[in-house]
Amino acid sequence: MSGARIRLDSAEVDRALERLISLGRRPEPALKNIGLHLVQSTKERFVQERAPDGSAWAPLNPAYAATKKGPGILRELGNAGGLMGSITYKVSGHQVEEGTNKVQAAVHQFGATIVPRNGEALAFSLGGEAVFAKSVTIPARPYLGVSADDEAE
Protein backbone atom coordinates (compact mmCIF):
# COMPACT_ATOMS: atom_id res chain seq x y z
CA MET A 1 0.00 0.00 0.00
CA SER A 2 1.76 3.09 -1.18
CA GLY A 3 -0.87 5.78 -0.56
CA ALA A 4 -0.94 5.99 3.24
CA ARG A 5 -0.60 3.65 6.15
CA ILE A 6 -0.22 3.86 9.89
CA ARG A 7 1.84 1.49 11.98
CA LEU A 8 0.75 0.58 15.49
CA ASP A 9 2.74 -1.54 17.86
CA SER A 10 0.62 -2.97 20.65
CA ALA A 11 2.27 -5.07 23.33
CA GLU A 12 -1.14 -6.42 24.36
CA VAL A 13 -1.96 -7.60 20.82
CA ASP A 14 1.56 -9.00 20.44
CA ARG A 15 1.14 -11.03 23.65
CA ALA A 16 -2.22 -12.40 22.50
CA LEU A 17 -0.78 -13.45 19.14
CA GLU A 18 2.21 -15.08 20.88
CA ARG A 19 -0.24 -17.07 23.05
CA LEU A 20 -2.02 -18.29 19.90
CA ILE A 21 1.29 -19.36 18.38
CA SER A 22 2.41 -21.09 21.59
CA LEU A 23 -0.83 -23.12 21.50
CA GLY A 24 0.07 -24.27 18.00
CA ARG A 25 -2.48 -22.03 16.34
CA ARG A 26 -1.87 -19.86 13.32
CA PRO A 27 -2.34 -16.11 13.98
CA GLU A 28 -3.64 -15.35 10.46
CA PRO A 29 -7.37 -15.83 11.27
CA ALA A 30 -7.07 -13.44 14.23
CA LEU A 31 -5.15 -10.95 12.10
CA LYS A 32 -7.81 -11.14 9.37
CA ASN A 33 -10.49 -10.37 11.97
CA ILE A 34 -8.44 -7.39 13.18
CA GLY A 35 -8.03 -6.19 9.58
CA LEU A 36 -11.75 -6.52 8.83
CA HIS A 37 -12.63 -4.63 12.01
CA LEU A 38 -10.17 -1.81 11.25
CA VAL A 39 -11.50 -1.38 7.69
CA GLN A 40 -15.10 -1.20 8.94
CA SER A 41 -14.17 1.20 11.72
CA THR A 42 -12.27 3.45 9.30
CA LYS A 43 -15.23 3.55 6.91
CA GLU A 44 -17.51 4.50 9.82
CA ARG A 45 -15.15 7.41 10.57
CA PHE A 46 -15.63 8.67 6.99
CA VAL A 47 -19.38 8.76 7.58
CA GLN A 48 -18.95 10.45 10.99
CA GLU A 49 -16.22 12.78 9.61
CA ARG A 50 -14.04 12.08 12.65
CA ALA A 51 -10.41 11.20 13.30
CA PRO A 52 -9.44 8.06 15.23
CA ASP A 53 -9.03 10.22 18.36
CA GLY A 54 -12.68 11.33 18.01
CA SER A 55 -11.97 14.90 16.89
CA ALA A 56 -14.07 16.34 14.06
CA TRP A 57 -12.48 16.83 10.66
CA ALA A 58 -11.89 20.39 9.47
CA PRO A 59 -14.95 21.65 7.57
CA LEU A 60 -14.88 22.09 3.81
CA ASN A 61 -14.20 25.43 2.21
CA PRO A 62 -17.76 26.84 1.77
CA ALA A 63 -17.17 27.63 -1.92
CA TYR A 64 -16.10 24.02 -2.53
CA ALA A 65 -18.89 22.57 -0.38
CA ALA A 66 -21.50 24.42 -2.47
CA THR A 67 -20.48 22.56 -5.65
CA LYS A 68 -19.18 19.26 -4.25
CA LYS A 69 -20.71 16.06 -5.59
CA GLY A 70 -20.98 13.53 -2.81
CA PRO A 71 -22.46 12.92 0.60
CA GLY A 72 -19.70 14.36 2.79
CA ILE A 73 -16.08 15.26 3.39
CA LEU A 74 -13.65 12.97 1.50
CA ARG A 75 -16.57 11.14 -0.12
CA GLU A 76 -17.36 11.60 -3.79
CA LEU A 77 -19.99 10.17 -6.12
CA GLY A 78 -19.01 8.19 -9.20
CA ASN A 79 -15.42 7.59 -8.12
CA ALA A 80 -15.58 3.79 -7.59
CA GLY A 81 -15.86 4.37 -3.88
CA GLY A 82 -13.12 7.00 -3.85
CA LEU A 83 -10.81 7.14 -0.89
CA MET A 84 -13.31 5.53 1.49
CA GLY A 85 -13.92 2.63 -0.88
CA SER A 86 -10.20 2.00 -1.28
CA ILE A 87 -9.54 1.22 2.39
CA THR A 88 -8.30 -2.35 2.69
CA TYR A 89 -6.08 -4.55 4.79
CA LYS A 90 -3.34 -7.08 4.14
CA VAL A 91 -2.07 -9.87 6.39
CA SER A 92 1.53 -10.91 5.95
CA GLY A 93 3.36 -13.06 8.41
CA HIS A 94 2.47 -12.02 11.92
CA GLN A 95 1.23 -8.54 11.06
CA VAL A 96 -1.75 -6.80 9.53
CA GLU A 97 -1.63 -3.53 7.58
CA GLU A 98 -4.57 -1.27 6.89
CA GLY A 99 -4.37 1.46 4.29
CA THR A 100 -5.08 2.62 0.77
CA ASN A 101 -3.18 2.92 -2.47
CA LYS A 102 -4.87 6.16 -3.53
CA VAL A 103 -2.37 8.85 -4.49
CA GLN A 104 -4.24 11.54 -2.52
CA ALA A 105 -4.36 9.44 0.67
CA ALA A 106 -1.39 10.96 2.48
CA VAL A 107 -2.46 14.52 1.66
CA HIS A 108 -5.80 13.97 3.36
CA GLN A 109 -4.39 11.96 6.28
CA PHE A 110 -1.58 14.38 7.16
CA GLY A 111 -2.55 17.64 5.39
CA ALA A 112 -0.40 19.43 2.83
CA THR A 113 0.33 22.74 1.18
CA ILE A 114 0.11 22.50 -2.59
CA VAL A 115 2.31 24.89 -4.60
CA PRO A 116 2.71 25.25 -8.35
CA ARG A 117 5.42 23.12 -9.97
CA ASN A 118 5.53 25.29 -13.08
CA GLY A 119 4.42 28.89 -13.21
CA GLU A 120 3.64 31.34 -10.48
CA ALA A 121 0.15 30.23 -9.47
CA LEU A 122 -2.20 27.31 -9.24
CA ALA A 123 -5.26 27.67 -11.46
CA PHE A 124 -8.55 25.92 -10.68
CA SER A 125 -12.28 26.46 -10.51
CA LEU A 126 -14.06 26.86 -7.18
CA GLY A 127 -17.77 27.51 -6.96
CA GLY A 128 -17.88 28.18 -10.70
CA GLU A 129 -15.24 30.91 -10.43
CA ALA A 130 -11.68 30.80 -11.74
CA VAL A 131 -9.17 30.93 -8.88
CA PHE A 132 -5.45 31.65 -9.06
CA ALA A 133 -3.44 31.02 -5.90
CA LYS A 134 0.23 30.85 -4.94
CA SER A 135 -0.60 27.91 -2.67
CA VAL A 136 -3.50 25.93 -1.29
CA THR A 137 -3.45 24.34 2.15
CA ILE A 138 -5.42 21.14 2.62
CA PRO A 139 -6.03 20.44 6.31
CA ALA A 140 -5.25 17.06 7.82
CA ARG A 141 -8.33 14.89 8.12
CA PRO A 142 -6.97 11.73 9.72
CA TYR A 143 -8.96 8.61 8.93
CA LEU A 144 -6.39 5.81 9.37
CA GLY A 145 -5.48 4.84 12.89
CA VAL A 146 -6.70 2.92 15.88
CA SER A 147 -9.38 4.47 18.06
CA ALA A 148 -9.90 3.61 21.71
CA ASP A 149 -12.90 1.50 20.64
CA ASP A 150 -10.74 -0.30 18.05
CA GLU A 151 -8.14 -1.10 20.66
CA ALA A 152 -10.77 -2.46 23.04
CA GLU A 153 -12.27 -4.58 20.26
Side-chain angles (χ1 to χ4, degrees):
M1 290 177 226
S2 62
R5 69 179 176 197
I6 301 294
R7 180 183 171 103
L8 171 74
D9 291 316
S10 170
E12 188 174 347
V13 172
D14 289 345
R15 283 192 300 275
L17 291 173
E18 286 170 10
R19 282 194 303 273
L20 280 174
I21 293 167
S22 73
L23 294 171
R25 303 230 169 116
R26 295 178 33 237
E28 288 82 6
L31 292 170
K32 286 181 181 178
N33 284 336
I34 291 169
L36 287 168
H37 171 80
L38 289 174
V39 167
Q40 183 59 37
S41 177
T42 299
K43 289 181 177 184
E44 287 173 13
R45 283 196 288 273
F46 274 84
V47 173
Q48 297 167 355
E49 299 179 354
R50 298 213 166 267
D53 68 4
S55 62
W57 286 346
L60 293 174
N61 175 313
Y64 174 70
T67 61
K68 180 184 178 314
K69 295 180 179 137
I73 298 172
L74 299 185
R75 295 190 293 154
E76 298 295 327
L77 293 177
N79 191 9
L83 185 58
M84 179 178 159
S86 73
I87 303 299
T88 188
Y89 75 96
K90 176 175 76 172
V91 172
S92 56
H94 294 166
Q95 66 181 17
V96 62
E97 279 184 8
E98 178 201 22
T100 171
N101 63 356
K102 293 286 189 180
V103 70
Q104 72 271 28
V107 166
H108 293 302
Q109 176 76 22
F110 303 112
T113 298
I114 312 298
V115 296
R117 278 195 260 172
N118 303 315
E120 294 188 23
L122 299 166
F124 55 94
S125 176
L126 187 61
E129 300 289 324
V131 176
F132 300 93
K134 293 204 179 277
S135 68
V136 173
T137 299
I138 302 193
R141 294 185 176 103
Y143 51 92
L144 292 175
V146 178
S147 69
D149 289 343
D150 294 335
E151 205 164 321
E153 181 68 24

